Amino acid sequence: MTDRLTPLELMTKLISFPTVSRDSNIPLIDWVAEYLASHGIESHRYIDPDQPKHALFAHVGPWEEGAVVLSGHTDVVPVDGQPWDTDPFTVVEKDGKYYGRGTCDMKGFDALAIWALVEGKYAGLKRPLQIALSFDEEIGCTGAPPMIKAMQPVLPKGSAAIIGEPSTMQAVTGHKGGTGFDTHVVGFEVHSSLLHTGVNAIMAGAKLIEWANEMNTANMAAKPTDLAAMFDPPFTTCHVGMISGGTAHNITAKDCHFAMDFRVVPGEDKDYWATAYLKKVREVEAQMQAVVPETEIRISERFDVPALQPEQDGEAETLVRQITGDNASHKVSYGTEAGQFQDAGYSAVICGPGDIAQAHQPNEFIEVAQFNAGHDFMRKLLVRLGS
């Protein structure tokens, strides 16, 4: 495996691995490690102790601090039930677009980062370059923090992290934080004609969901801070996207399951929203237990993603703007691993090819022009690191 593959060849290979978040990504990581080794690049891994998933990180250039880190995730969302016109795990070029699961989010960037690392190995860089490939981004950015921690004693500390989520190659300098809680309402079954003697878990859970509606209404009506005003929408949101429970229409539901998620604007404390939700949970639980004492509401944290805070004269932002020429202000409401790198002491920015509107969609694609723009960005980055 000594050939230097093109970015398209690399993307095609990465997408051939169906690394849906519920499944292992180890075959992909094994292949990347072998490919890098064939070019004399030693890679390192974080091995998840609880599931068959690995993260990979590597370094080229001078063995010193101050590297630029190219960060991407290797997992993709499922294709189940989506009406694809082509094989999701085979790259198909058509009408100026590359189709395939992950072309946009975000194996296109991963391929470009691998290409840049290998080219950097041969370029005689004066400033180091690193790559960091995580897992489980799609289920709450849970794989990046242990990977970042594992990098610290193994590689010289990088200083600027470019997280390659699809941003149409614009410099995104802020995003909302997020936290989410799996919620299991445990009720008590009786015939619905005697519902006052039982506890309907769905109806109790509905009180929590209505609380979320009330919070959204209040947040929407409040005047946003200057920082919050940069986001769309300019306020923290509370959301429930799925709910399940109950066994029959004439039985009070014994169980109700849903996830309560918060997307928190920078400047607000995620812990405030967690505390507010748990307070409401205990209030509803007390109402349930006043009827049947053994009922309860069980809460477990699903994810906790810090916001990406805009930096004053941030190194990563400055570097990306110098390469792209983009001087506009860009903020997004979705979460990424950028805030986690920032929390670990890196200057961080989001910049990657593709449009987030195509992420997770059937017939996901990245425009050829966007992919080429990402390739051009990497070429210019290597020139800067070599000068």
Side-chain angles (χ1 to χ4, degrees), residues 79-326:
V79 299
D80 309 49
Q82 292 187 332
W84 282 76
D85 297 330
T86 60
D87 178 359
F89 300 107
T90 300
V91 174
V92 175
E93 181 179 359
K94 182 181 178 183
D95 299 328
K97 302 169 183 175
Y98 294 126
Y99 289 89
R101 174 56 89 222
T103 50
C104 176
D105 185 18
M106 59 180 297
K107 290 181 178 178
F109 177 84
D110 293 346
L112 293 166
I114 294 168
W115 177 87
L117 197 75
V118 170
E119 294 302 309
K121 172 68 176 179
Y122 295 102
L125 300 181
K126 293 188 168 107
R127 180 180 177 182
L129 180 67
Q130 295 178 356
I131 192 173
L133 300 177
S134 70
F135 58 86
D136 281 357
E137 190 274 347
E138 297 292 6
I139 58 174
C141 298
T142 57
M147 174 191 71
I148 296 169
K149 183 177 180 180
M151 291 169 63
Q152 307 308 311
V154 177
L155 301 183
K157 178 69 178 289
S159 60
I162 300 173
I163 289 74
E165 292 282 358
S167 70
T168 62
M169 297 309 300
Q170 296 176 326
V172 173
T173 57
H175 68 62
K176 292 184 177 182
T179 187
F181 298 91
D182 282 327
T183 304
H184 179 193
V185 184
V186 182
F188 186 80
E189 290 180 316
V190 297
H191 194 280
S192 60
S193 64
L194 299 172
L195 64 85
H196 65 293
T197 64
V199 173
N200 188 314
I202 293 175
M203 297 182 74
K207 295 180 181 180
L208 299 177
I209 296 172
E210 180 56 22
W211 172 85
N213 286 327
E214 293 170 355
M215 294 301 101
N216 286 335
T217 299
N219 290 348
M220 191 180 306
K223 182 181 178 180
T225 65
D226 291 342
L227 182 55
M230 299 178 182
F231 293 82
D232 182 19
F235 53 86
T236 293
T237 56
C238 317
H239 180 252
V240 174
M242 295 178 67
I243 187 169
S244 64
T247 55
H249 292 296
N250 60 350
I251 303 174
T252 57
K254 183 179 184 300
D255 297 287
C256 179
H257 298 267
F258 59 87
M260 181 69 73
D261 294 345
F262 301 89
R263 292 187 183 272
V264 183
V265 293
E268 287 190 12
D269 185 358
K270 293 195 313 303
D271 291 342
Y272 166 83
W273 288 100
T275 299
Y277 180 55
L278 292 176
K279 179 180 179 181
K280 186 64 180 181
V281 164
R282 296 310 164 212
E283 176 188 320
V284 173
E285 184 181 61
Q287 296 169 0
M288 296 165 54
Q289 291 176 345
V291 179
V292 179
E294 58 264 37
T295 58
E296 61 178 329
I297 303 177
R298 302 169 185 167
I299 300 294
S300 60
E301 187 176 83
R302 293 176 57 236
F303 64 89
D304 185 11
V305 181
L308 173 62
Q309 304 280 352
E311 301 171 1
Q312 186 69 35
D313 300 320
E315 178 189 352
E317 174 187 351
T318 299
L319 175 63
V320 167
R321 292 194 186 282
Q322 289 173 345
I323 294 175
T324 63
D326 173 28

